[in-house]
């Protein structure tokens, strides 16, 4: 069963569901279960996520702003409206080149 704070059948503005914070990267789950889910991230310019393993197969979509997504020591610039696929257990890190909002779609293989 999906875990969510949202009601099925209601229309919501995705970008309005999360705001950045000057102290740390903000994270908000839209929904999730044992097989994955959808998570929003908000990063202020210069904020980063240190290198870590992807917990699932990922689709990283930048909703606003621009990030540098480094995967296996190769940086990729992802801008608003663009996405990238990432395999499970792949090392990666993120740095915000601008105030940014990112949607992660996670599916466990």
């Amino acid at each position: 069963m999906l875990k969510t704070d949202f009601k099925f059948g209601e229309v919501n503005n995705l970008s309005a569901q999360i705001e950045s914070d000057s102290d740390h990267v903000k994270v908000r789950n839209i929904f999730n279960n044992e097989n994955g889910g959808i998570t929003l991230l908000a990063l202020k310019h210069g904020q980063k996520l240190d290198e870590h393993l992807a917990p699932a197969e990922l689709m990283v979509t930048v909703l606003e702003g621009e990030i540098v997504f480094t995967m296996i020591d190769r940086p990729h610039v992802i801008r608003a409206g663009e996405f990238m696929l990432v395999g499970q257990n792949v090392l990666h890190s993120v740095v915000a080149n601008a105030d940014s909002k990112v949607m992660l779609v996670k599916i466990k293989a």
Side-chain angles (χ1 to χ4, degrees), residues 20 42-46 62 64-67 96-101:
S20 57
L43 303 95
K44 286 289 224 185
H45 178 257
V62 175
E64 296 178 11
E66 176 181 293
I67 64 171
N97 277 351
D99 290 357
S100 301
K101 292 181 181 180

Side-chain angles (χ1 to χ4, degrees), residues 8-44:
F8 285 82
E10 287 187 0
V11 176
N12 297 280
N13 180 299
L14 192 58
S15 288
Q17 301 309 312
I18 192 165
E19 294 299 326
S20 57
D21 182 312
S22 60
D23 294 332
H24 58 283
V25 175
K26 296 287 278 196
V27 177
R28 181 166 188 201
N29 284 319
I30 298 298
F31 67 79
N32 61 48
N33 66 15
E34 63 279 353
N35 297 315
I38 295 180
T39 301
L40 299 178
L41 304 174
L43 303 95
K44 286 289 224 185

